[in-house]
Amino acid sequence: MSKLRVANAAPDLTLLDHTGRLIRLGEIWARQPVVLLFLRHLG
Amino acid sequence: MRGHVVDVHREYPRLKQAGGELLLVTMGTPQQAAMFRDKFQFEATFLADAQRQAYRAFGLERGTMGQVLGPRVWLGLLKGMARGGVGKPIGDVRQMPGAFVVDRQGIVRYTHYPSHQAEAPSYQEIVALLESLD
């Protein structure tokens, strides 16, 4: 596993959102810049 | 963990005004993410990554015991308890958090790999960066 650096291409993944809908990250950032915040465990 | 959520909840209007779309990635199921989102009355999108594929793809590792249980984490936890309470954990408790800004071309413009679990990203830096992007 390698860390990303500024100027790298971001991994374009598809994930479920909180409504159960599939979301492709690339479709979101094509519209506007994205802030991705990876949380540690919930709770 | 909730301290982080309280922080980003506070910063959300500034991030949005600066043109950023906030996505919060969790290790829960969609249902767990939805419950958490509702509890904090969050408008932003929560993503469910129970298998941690996105965490790995973005280079976020499982922390060492020092990163997970060190004194700075306990201090952060106490602050978080004061602000938002602490509940039963969902997800790998050793998974490290992180933050990224990706521009419209899919290029990483900001990374935050914390040295311990309680270290938050600089929202001031993120907002300034968003304001500089088209």
Side-chain angles (χ1 to χ4, degrees), chain B residues 16-34:
Chain B
K16 196 173 175 181
Q17 190 175 7
E21 171 85 17
L22 177 64
L23 300 175
L24 293 111
V25 186
T26 75
M27 289 179 278
T29 63
Q31 293 80 7
Q32 288 166 333

Side-chain angles (χ1 to χ4, degrees), chain A residues 4 8 16 37-39 41-42, chain B residues 1 25 48 55 90 98 108 113:
Chain A
L4 296 177
N8 285 169
L16 291 169
L37 196 68
F38 287 78
L39 303 178
H41 57 82
L42 292 177
Chain B
M1 209 298 293
V25 186
Y55 284 84
I90 295 167
V108 176
Y113 291 99

Side-chain angles (χ1 to χ4, degrees), chain A residues 35, chain B residues 15 18 99-101 110 121-131:
Chain A
V35 179
Chain B
L15 296 172
F100 304 87
V101 175
Y110 171 89
S122 164
Y123 290 105
Q124 190 174 345
E125 195 176 340
I126 291 173
V127 167
L129 172 62
L130 289 171
E131 288 172 344

Side-chain angles (χ1 to χ4, degrees), chain A residues 10-15 23-26 29 38, chain B residues 49 53-55 57-58:
Chain A
D12 186 4
L13 304 172
T14 300
L15 295 167
I23 299 284
R24 190 162 73 82
L25 298 181
W29 66 55
F38 287 78
Chain B
D49 186 22
Q53 65 166 124
Y55 284 84
F58 279 79

